[in-house]
Every structure is written in C-alpha cells, then in structure tokens.
Amino acid sequence: MLKCIAGILQPTSGQIVVRGQVAAMLELGAGFQPELSGRDNIYLNASLLGLSRRDIARRFDDIVAFAELEDFIDNQVRFYSSGMYVRLGFAVAVNVEPDVLLIDEVLAVGDERFQEKCLDRIHEFQTEGRTIVVVSHSAAMLRQICDRVVVLENGKVVTVGHPDEAIRAFRDCLLAGEVPVAL
C-alpha cells in the first residue's frame, strides 16, 4: 500500500490521490547506492525527492547533523550499519520537508535516543499539519504517534478509530487466525 501511495507501484484497482510532496521511508537503505558515499547518497536521494542541487547543498549540514554521521559521511554506505542507514534515510526524508511522510517499520531500527529524536521530528510534522502514514505492528509506537489507526486484512478495512480501539481489533484478528496489517 505504501509503495502505491509513494507512486512506486500502481494499484490493481481503484485510485490513489496524493496532494503535495511525498517522502517515503519504506525499506532500510532503499534507494541507497552502496558504492557511493553517504554524501553522494544524500544528493542522489534528495534529488529523487524533488530537491534541486542548490536546495540540497543548503540543507546538507542539517541532514548530516540530524543523522549524526559527520565522521562517516564520506564513507561508502556499504560499510554503514543498519542503524546508520536508517539515520541517513530518515534525515534525508524529513529534511526535504514533505507534505506526506510514509514510514514502514524502519523506526524500529537504531538506538533509543535516535528513535526519540525521530519521534520528536514526527511530532513537529504533526503540529505543522503534515500527513504521516505509518505501517507498524508495534502497538506502543502506534499509540505514541497516531491519532487514528486503520486495521486492514487482505486489503480490506477492518476498522478505523482511536489507537486503543483499533489495536484491540488488530489483536482480535490475530486471535481469530487472520493476518491483519495495522497502520
């Protein structure tokens, strides 16, 4: 679903309408070129998200500082840990200032302090009125950042509601042997 919203895949039926700029954190390291440095990958990924070279240069220091990768930015990303990938990917995504941010479980990687930093940025986006779509099986994360949760089973909506209500419905599906996906 997130790949359809991001425009990577086309839906098999229906349509998806997205208004504004989208930044997606869908897969760990997706879009990174392992032979390129972190610096080069920032320019590559931010340009794919629609920023000009000048805009990237202006935001570059903020991206690197958010990712906390100053000492590693000129290393090839193939030598980065999974946590470093997430740091860099998230830093690029949030610094392009998207209208819609798509996140797929990637915040589960990285240390606790960095996760808190990401959650703080997500809360800033919420305060600014931006749209954030999170796919997660973490009830705690959904409670922390969502004001509305959709539970899907086989592409069909099971329920939409307050996180506590939706999480109960999600768990009911699990107990019934169904395989729901929580947003």
Side-chain angles (χ1 to χ4, degrees):
M1 180 183 65
L2 289 181
K3 287 182 180 182
C4 290
I5 295 170
I8 296 167
L9 298 175
Q10 295 299 313
T12 54
S13 64
Q15 66 178 4
I16 296 173
V17 177
V18 179
R19 292 181 182 86
Q21 183 180 20
V22 175
M25 299 260 326
L26 301 182
E27 295 175 23
L28 184 60
F32 285 154
Q33 297 301 312
E35 299 303 316
L36 297 178
S37 68
R39 177 182 307 275
D40 293 335
N41 272 288
I42 288 172
Y43 277 89
L44 175 62
N45 281 274
S47 67
L48 293 173
L49 291 171
L51 290 185
S52 69
R53 192 158 183 79
R54 179 192 289 177
D55 287 337
I56 299 166
R58 208 178 52 216
R59 297 174 194 195
F60 182 83
D61 290 340
D62 291 336
I63 292 169
V64 175
F66 189 92
E68 301 172 358
L69 292 174
E70 293 88 342
D71 294 339
F72 305 97
I73 202 62
D74 290 312
N75 293 353
Q76 291 175 320
V77 297
R78 69 182 171 135
F79 297 115
Y80 283 16
S81 68
S82 59
M84 293 165 83
Y85 264 98
V86 169
R87 287 173 182 266
L88 189 60
F90 191 87
V92 171
V94 298
N95 278 287
V96 299
E97 299 180 11
D99 300 302
V100 180
L101 180 62
L102 307 175
I103 303 172
D104 184 12
E105 296 280 11
V106 294
L107 294 182
V109 179
D111 62 55
E112 189 174 332
R113 191 179 59 73
F114 188 74
Q115 287 178 13
E116 279 301 314
K117 187 177 183 177
C118 293
L119 291 172
D120 289 345
R121 183 60 66 97
I122 288 170
H123 291 303
E124 283 178 32
F125 275 27
Q126 289 171 318
T127 301
E128 295 167 357
R130 298 173 196 245
T131 300
I132 300 144
V133 179
V134 180
V135 170
S136 180
H137 290 91
S138 168
M141 176 160 306
L142 294 173
R143 281 188 183 99
Q144 190 171 10
I145 63 176
C146 297
D147 54 14
R148 188 171 63 173
V149 174
V150 177
V151 177
L152 301 173
E153 179 192 354
N154 295 322
K156 302 214 183 326
V157 174
V158 173
T159 190
V160 178
H162 184 274
D164 290 330
E165 296 167 12
I167 290 165
R168 265 192 300 279
F170 175 81
R171 289 182 174 150
D172 289 346
C173 286
L174 287 175
L175 291 172
E178 299 158 355
V179 185
V181 177
L183 291 179

